Amino acid sequence: MNASLKIAVALLISLEISFTKSISLNIALIVCAIIYLLFKQVNWKLMLYSIFLPILPAFGSWSSLYFYGTGDHVHMAFVLFTRIFAYIWIGSCFTFTTNIDELLKSLEQNFRLPNTFVYGVLAAFNFLPRIAQEVKTIRLAARMRGEVLHFYSPQIFFKAILTSFNWSNNLAQAMRSHGFAEGERRTHYHVIKIPTWNWLAAAAILIAVQAFLFMSPFN
Amino acid sequence: MQATKKSSGWHLRDVIMLTLIAIFFGFIFWIWAFAYDAVAATPLKPFANDITLGAWIMAGPLAGYLLRKAGASFLGEFLAAFAEMIIGSQWGVSTLLSGLIQGIGGELGFALTGYKKWNGLSLVLSTLTSTIVTFGYDLYASGYASYSFGMLIVLFVIRFLSIGFFGGVLVAAITKLIDKAGILNR
């Protein structure tokens, strides 16, 4: 499915389950997401990651409501427990099968996002591994001077901002010198079109969720 | 550097800078999630969300202050959430939703000043609107509606303190360092 449509559907469904209180819908969504990911033959290590990652936050939410809530708090505790797993697995359907390249290109070509944003964001996201390295470097450099930087130290953020400032200047200059012009029309080597069945599938998924919500005998 | 300071439009350099900062925050958020887990593993569990929340809303006010444009705060927060999700957040796609809500919350504070003031007042307003908007969302999304009224008051105060510290005091400290370094030459 087209990347923009996929993330839109994922966002709409997760927004909906933020407000509904149906355990069965959450479970059904998790099952569908797992089937989809199996069908897409996603790496099993990533799948395991999605199973274990939400356990702590899910258990945290469950126990908070179970022990401290009032009213129908037992039901809500289980709603939240399944909701967090649903969030993770719906998210995985997007993050494990699509990359940011596809998403931004589709947003540019299909939804007319200005190219300054498309290529600016893309350029920055290509620095993701270097940013991970930079955070380590900042902390190590401070430790060499005998300072330990925590997440609440203004210095670590200050250094990060300085780096962003330098890199953004260099990157913007480099892009311009390679012929990037803001706001100009571009031609595309890789043309992205959204096939009709994508729209139909997106609508079908959203309708199925509503139908399940109203017709399911379980809550 | 181009003479883009006064312009309200978005230039390539602004977009790249905003995204780079957002990704830095994405990483810091991602690590911070383990702090949430650490608090969640103690009897302070129901308060874990509100004690740690402040750190997550930092990207918004900081981006707003740095770029001084309408929408900068919202975009900074939203892109940071997106980066966190891509890195692999334990909250999955809801990270993006929270980013959206937190972005709106932070942006409102700056919008209330008509994007004319970029000082302590707008930061305080931003922390206040962030607290109210995110709390309203959590009433539904995190099941807060099931807590007693007294508990809700306690949670609200804790959240405001957390957001006040991270989004207010810490952001002010960072911006002071930036102003002293004079890199934004305004």
Side-chain angles (χ1 to χ4, degrees):
Chain A
M1 194 192 249
N2 175 276
S4 322
L5 276 187
K6 201 188 279 181
I7 200 167
V9 169
L11 265 179
L12 282 173
I13 293 179
S14 54
L15 184 67
E16 180 160 6
I17 61 170
S18 302
F19 291 96
T20 55
K21 298 173 182 173
S22 166
I23 297 173
S24 59
L25 174 63
N26 293 347
I27 293 174
L29 287 170
I30 296 168
V31 171
C32 292
I34 292 175
I35 292 171
Y36 176 75
L37 288 173
L38 285 174
F39 180 70
K40 284 275 177 182
Q41 298 180 331
V42 169
N43 186 335
W44 62 271
K45 276 185 197 148
L46 286 175
M47 300 273 277
L48 274 185
Y49 182 74
S50 293
I51 293 174
F52 289 110
L53 193 68
I55 286 181
L56 258 179
F59 184 73
S61 299
W62 175 84
S63 59
S64 302
L65 279 174
Y66 192 85
F67 293 114
Y68 297 90
T70 53
D72 65 341
H73 64 104
V74 177
H75 173 72
M76 271 312 282
F78 283 100
V79 169
L80 275 183
F81 187 82
T82 51
R83 186 183 283 170
I84 288 174
F85 275 90
Y87 283 150
I88 279 280
W89 284 92
I90 293 170
S92 302
C93 285
F94 174 77
T95 51
F96 293 167
T97 61
T98 325
N99 59 43
I100 187 158
D101 249 55
E102 293 172 58
L103 175 65
L104 284 169
K105 279 182 183 152
S106 160
L107 284 175
E108 180 195 16
Q109 294 184 31
N110 308 128
F111 297 93
R112 300 185 180 277
L113 186 70
N115 64 17
T116 305
F117 282 92
V118 172
Y119 293 94
V121 171
L122 196 57
F125 265 93
N126 282 327
F127 270 66
L128 213 137
R130 292 212 31 200
I131 289 176
Q133 188 56 45
E134 189 68 17
V135 174
K136 280 189 203 137
T137 308
I138 292 171
R139 298 183 69 194
L140 276 177
R143 214 181 294 161
M144 279 187 66
R145 296 192 303 274
E147 291 171 40
V148 179
L149 292 186
H150 299 282
F151 306 115
Y152 44 83
S153 315
Q155 284 86 357
I156 195 169
F157 294 99
F158 173 63
K159 290 259 175 72
I161 289 165
L162 275 188
T163 308
S164 309
F165 191 77
N166 284 334
W167 288 359
S168 64
N169 268 329
N170 295 346
L171 257 175
Q173 257 173 34
M175 284 169 74
R176 263 196 297 274
S177 62
H178 275 262
F180 179 82
E182 290 177 38
E184 292 292 322
R185 268 188 72 84
R186 296 174 66 94
T187 54
H188 299 283
Y189 170 67
H190 180 201
V191 178
I192 298 173
K193 286 209 172 75
I194 304 182
T196 318
W197 75 263
N198 273 194
W199 289 104
L200 293 177
I205 293 170
L206 290 175
I207 291 168
V209 170
Q210 314 314 320
F212 187 97
L213 204 54
F214 285 108
M215 296 199 280
S216 164
F218 313 103
N219 60 15
Chain B
M1 202 176 93
Q2 283 192 328
T4 58
K5 284 174 296 183
K6 294 269 155 61
S7 155
S8 63
W10 285 87
H11 289 269
L12 185 61
R13 202 185 60 88
D14 305 326
V15 175
I16 297 176
M17 174 151 169
L18 186 73
T19 316
L20 284 175
I21 292 173
I23 298 171
F24 266 110
F25 272 90
F27 264 100
I28 294 163
F29 291 169
W30 181 70
I31 299 168
W32 186 247
F34 297 106
Y36 165 88
D37 291 341
V39 180
T42 67
L44 290 170
K45 210 168 283 163
F47 308 108
N49 196 9
D50 297 82
I51 292 174
T52 55
L53 188 80
W56 271 286
I57 67 107
M58 280 178 71
L62 203 56
Y65 182 85
L66 284 175
L67 290 160
R68 308 200 166 187
K69 289 180 196 303
S73 179
F74 170 76
L75 264 179
E77 186 66 40
F78 184 65
L79 284 170
F82 188 75
E84 190 191 356
M85 185 176 95
I86 295 279
I87 296 163
S89 156
Q90 51 179 303
W91 286 282
V93 66
S94 69
T95 309
L96 215 51
L97 281 180
S98 310
L100 211 70
I101 304 290
Q102 290 157 3
I104 294 170
E107 181 78 32
L108 267 180
F110 293 112
L112 281 178
T113 66
Y115 300 108
K116 292 207 176 66
K117 289 213 166 57
W118 303 96
N119 53 14
L121 173 74
S122 51
L123 267 187
V124 171
L125 276 176
S126 174
T127 56
L128 196 63
T129 51
S130 293
T131 310
I132 295 169
V133 172
T134 58
F135 202 82
Y137 176 67
D138 271 336
L139 277 180
Y140 298 96
S142 304
Y144 278 24
S146 297
Y147 287 132
S148 66
F149 187 69
M151 178 87 166
L152 284 180
I153 299 280
V154 174
L155 287 174
F156 187 85
V157 171
I158 292 177
R159 174 169 302 209
F160 186 55
L161 289 178
S162 172
I163 292 184
F165 173 73
F166 286 102
V169 177
L170 194 53
V171 166
I174 297 165
T175 53
K176 212 174 192 177
L177 283 175
I178 294 166
D179 283 344
K180 223 160 67 184
I183 51 167
L184 293 181
N185 54 10
R186 51 168 83 92

